[in-house]
Amino acid sequence: MNVCCYTLNNIPLIKRGDDIARIIIERTELKEKDIVVISSSIVAKAEQGLVRLDSHNPTTRAIEIAERNDADPRFVQAVLDNSKETLVESPFLLVELESGHICVNAGIDVSNTGDYNSVTLLPADADYSAEQTRGRLKELTGISTGVVIIDTNGRAFRNGQTGVAIGVSGIQAIHDWRGSPDLFGRTLEVKYEAILDEVAGFANLLMGEGNGATPIAVVQGLDLLSKKTSITELFRKPEEDIIRKALKRQKEIASINE
Amino acid sequence: MNVCCYTLNNIPLIKRGDDIARIIIERTELKEKDIVVISSSIVAKAEQGLVRLDSHNPTTRAIEIAERNDADPRFVQAVLDNSKETLVESPFLLVELESGHICVNAGIDVSNTGDYNSVTLLPADADYSAEQTRGRLKELTGISTGVVIIDTNGRAFRNGQTGVAIGVSGIQAIHDWRGSPDLFGRTLEVKYEAILDEVAGFANLLMGEGNGATPIAVVQGLDLLSKKTSITELFRKPEEDIIRKALKRQKEIASINE
């Protein structure tokens, strides 16, 4: 198997209302089954624009968490406003979003906004955003692609952040290996592979994080198109999530001890 | 940036003593700065061969855990024998290896061994294994490469497994973004990127899990060679690991309640 991944050059500073699909096709010639990977921050900028931190009035709870974490209370309030549940509150905020995605600070980012009073949120419905972009690419080029929207997140047990998928349209999220034989015809150990996150991580590596301005990548050579897909396939059910239950217990103990 | 990743074809069934570097160079022409990604199972097979499950005599503890987990007690004993610490014991075994790597079942695999009485362990010192292979590739070709040894692991909060690095030689594990400006010259949000795991995941995607027999991939076009590197850079210090502490507390509570 031979796969290539490249980034698009000269992406302009994205502002609200920008047509990301058009920006893509002006910079590359897509091929059938290409996977277009887009950084969540530019999707959010195109959809919502920047959000002012001072539009979030800190509650008592936000002020208290901010004090513990040495953070801006308005930022903490923004995180709480965009979270369904907090898994860890200190020394950092690990939360679950409405979508089911779990990440630090609800994915809210102060970088690449131009000032410390503006932030980008994650797209409200990243699957929908991916679908819109995929539809627009099809409309503009006639070509069927997959679209993945990614963010950079930390992990349990390991240092460093990696790219992960937060929205998808048109390609599989999980490959189901059940029923596939190993080299000797026996049952495979690995049942489910999160191929979408494996794509997301590599695209993130090429995109970089700073002022390289390469928030869009294309992966060419994979055959992963799928009509039926959702980012929710990647999220563990809370009742099946041992680690999440342990964090919940930890939080309960911490509040009893206060 | 434009990067390609390809798998090597027709890798034979690896047995103890096989020269993986020679197998690689007989199938591809490497270029300077190529990253060679190798599945841990073939490294282990070449170094140790297969390990018999019946060489692990189950202790009372292994029998008790096996009963709770509906598992083979000899397999559980093999996991315990190869672990430094257990983080979760039931419904599955999540352990820390001597190397510091944390994974389910100590990475012990029954797949691709030919029978259910044989298993592959992870390489005892995967950094050393990577270094040996890198040195051998240099000896055979004169070319400087990076070598990454990977396994497939589950993650917290998310379904599905992805490829992760468990050993490295010659390329960076973490990219340090501190001091790099964002688009507006301000401090970046992301400080450390686990680029090695982003490579590992993508290579794993191309390799597949089953009888495709593609346990070696080459990533071409990145510029990540580094003399000083170790897989330990990727492992969080236990005292800084919130999730690990929560699991430890959970385990303590479970044993108090017994």
Side-chain angles (χ1 to χ4, degrees):
Chain A
M1 186 183 279
N2 195 325
V3 178
C4 284
C5 188
Y6 63 91
T7 47
L8 302 192
N9 294 325
N10 303 318
I11 307 296
L13 282 175
I14 300 294
K15 56 194 187 312
R16 191 169 180 177
D18 277 353
D19 184 347
I20 290 177
R22 179 164 286 288
I23 287 168
I24 291 168
I25 64 138
E26 285 170 353
R27 285 157 178 76
T28 190
E29 197 173 314
L30 291 172
K31 295 179 173 35
E32 284 288 325
K33 301 189 187 182
D34 275 358
I35 301 171
V36 178
V37 188
I38 308 171
S39 160
S40 62
S41 63
I42 67 164
V43 174
K45 282 173 182 170
E47 289 181 357
Q48 316 155 19
L50 301 179
V51 173
R52 300 284 307 172
L53 267 185
D54 47 32
S55 66
H56 295 274
N57 292 319
T59 54
T60 313
R61 183 172 174 224
I63 293 167
E64 186 269 318
I65 292 172
E67 221 169 86
R68 274 195 279 162
N69 296 355
D70 189 27
D72 180 338
R74 304 168 307 158
F75 183 87
V76 172
Q77 190 60 51
V79 173
L80 295 177
D81 286 346
N82 285 281
S83 307
K84 184 159 77 176
E85 187 180 331
T86 59
L87 277 60
V88 177
E89 292 189 353
S90 194
F92 55 83
L93 272 157
L94 181 69
V95 301
E96 181 190 1
L97 280 62
E98 280 301 329
S99 63
H101 177 50
I102 291 172
C103 62
V104 170
N105 290 338
I108 298 175
D109 194 357
V110 300
S111 296
N112 293 315
T113 61
D115 68 83
Y116 285 126
N117 282 318
S118 299
V119 294
T120 45
L121 310 181
L122 288 181
D125 183 342
D127 273 356
Y128 176 76
S129 308
E131 195 186 313
Q132 291 295 105
T133 304
R134 187 171 69 90
R136 182 80 178 122
L137 288 169
K138 180 88 178 181
E139 181 188 356
L140 291 170
T141 64
I143 287 177
S144 297
T145 62
V147 172
V148 191
I149 297 172
I150 72 167
D151 194 20
T152 316
N153 286 176
R155 305 84 62 71
F157 315 128
R158 290 197 160 215
N159 290 323
Q161 299 188 18
T162 58
V164 294
I166 62 152
V168 62
S169 177
I171 72 164
Q172 298 175 41
I174 297 256
H175 184 84
D176 186 344
W177 284 101
R178 291 174 306 165
S180 300
D182 75 0
L183 295 163
F184 298 92
R186 293 176 185 277
T187 313
L188 264 188
E189 190 93 346
V190 174
K191 296 190 171 57
Y192 301 105
E193 185 181 352
I195 54 178
L196 196 65
D197 281 338
E198 291 177 320
V199 168
F202 197 67
N204 190 61
L205 169 60
L206 268 65
M207 287 178 185
E209 298 287 343
N211 60 0
T214 52
I216 304 172
V218 179
V219 182
Q220 212 162 68
L222 290 172
D223 187 3
L224 297 177
L225 294 199
S226 170
K227 285 200 164 75
K228 207 176 164 190
T229 184
S230 165
I231 199 68
T232 55
E233 290 175 42
L234 284 175
F235 304 148
R236 284 188 194 270
K237 294 193 178 76
E239 59 272 20
E240 292 170 6
D241 192 337
I242 300 280
I243 285 176
R244 187 167 174 169
K245 287 183 189 177
L247 289 174
K248 189 171 179 177
R249 179 74 67 93
Q250 186 86 325
K251 213 176 107 184
E252 287 165 359
I253 291 169
S255 59
I256 288 167
N257 288 342
E258 278 166 21
Chain B
M1 187 182 278
N2 195 325
V3 178
C4 285
C5 187
Y6 64 92
T7 47
L8 302 192
N9 294 326
N10 303 319
I11 307 296
L13 281 174
I14 300 295
K15 54 190 188 313
R16 191 172 181 176
D18 278 351
D19 184 346
I20 290 177
R22 179 164 287 287
I23 288 169
I24 291 169
I25 64 138
E26 284 171 353
R27 285 156 178 77
T28 191
E29 197 173 314
L30 292 172
K31 296 179 172 33
E32 285 289 325
K33 303 188 185 183
D34 276 357
I35 300 171
V36 178
V37 187
I38 309 171
S39 160
S40 62
S41 63
I42 66 164
V43 174
K45 282 172 182 170
E47 288 181 359
Q48 315 156 20
L50 302 179
V51 173
R52 301 284 307 174
L53 269 184
D54 47 31
S55 66
H56 294 274
N57 291 320
T59 55
T60 312
R61 183 172 173 224
I63 293 166
E64 186 271 319
I65 292 172
E67 221 168 86
R68 274 195 279 161
N69 296 355
D70 190 28
D72 181 335
R74 303 168 308 159
F75 183 87
V76 172
Q77 190 60 51
V79 173
L80 295 176
D81 287 346
N82 285 282
S83 307
K84 186 159 78 177
E85 187 180 332
T86 59
L87 276 60
V88 176
E89 292 190 354
S90 195
F92 55 83
L93 273 156
L94 181 69
V95 302
E96 181 191 1
L97 279 62
E98 280 301 328
S99 63
H101 177 51
I102 291 173
C103 63
V104 170
N105 290 339
I108 299 175
D109 195 357
V110 298
S111 296
N112 292 315
T113 60
D115 68 82
Y116 286 126
N117 281 317
S118 299
V119 295
T120 45
L121 310 182
L122 288 181
D125 183 341
D127 272 357
Y128 176 77
S129 308
E131 195 187 312
Q132 291 295 107
T133 304
R134 187 171 71 89
R136 183 81 176 120
L137 288 169
K138 180 88 176 179
E139 182 188 357
L140 291 170
T141 65
I143 287 176
S144 297
T145 60
V147 173
V148 190
I149 297 173
I150 72 168
D151 194 20
T152 316
N153 286 176
R155 304 85 61 72
F157 315 129
R158 290 196 160 217
N159 290 323
Q161 299 188 18
T162 59
V164 294
I166 63 152
V168 62
S169 177
I171 73 164
Q172 299 175 41
I174 297 258
H175 184 85
D176 186 344
W177 285 101
R178 290 174 307 165
S180 299
D182 75 1
L183 295 163
F184 299 90
R186 294 176 184 274
T187 313
L188 264 187
E189 190 92 346
V190 174
K191 297 191 170 59
Y192 302 104
E193 185 180 351
I195 54 178
L196 196 65
D197 281 338
E198 292 178 320
V199 168
F202 197 68
N204 189 61
L205 168 61
L206 268 66
M207 287 178 186
E209 298 286 344
N211 59 0
T214 53
I216 304 172
V218 178
V219 183
Q220 211 162 68
L222 290 172
D223 186 6
L224 297 176
L225 294 200
S226 171
K227 285 198 163 72
K228 203 170 168 200
T229 185
S230 166
I231 200 67
T232 56
E233 291 175 43
L234 284 175
F235 304 148
R236 283 187 194 271
K237 295 194 178 76
E239 59 272 20
E240 293 170 6
D241 192 336
I242 301 281
I243 285 176
R244 188 168 174 167
K245 288 183 189 177
L247 289 175
K248 189 172 179 177
R249 179 74 67 94
Q250 186 87 322
K251 214 176 107 184
E252 287 165 359
I253 290 169
S255 60
I256 288 167
N257 288 342
E258 277 168 20

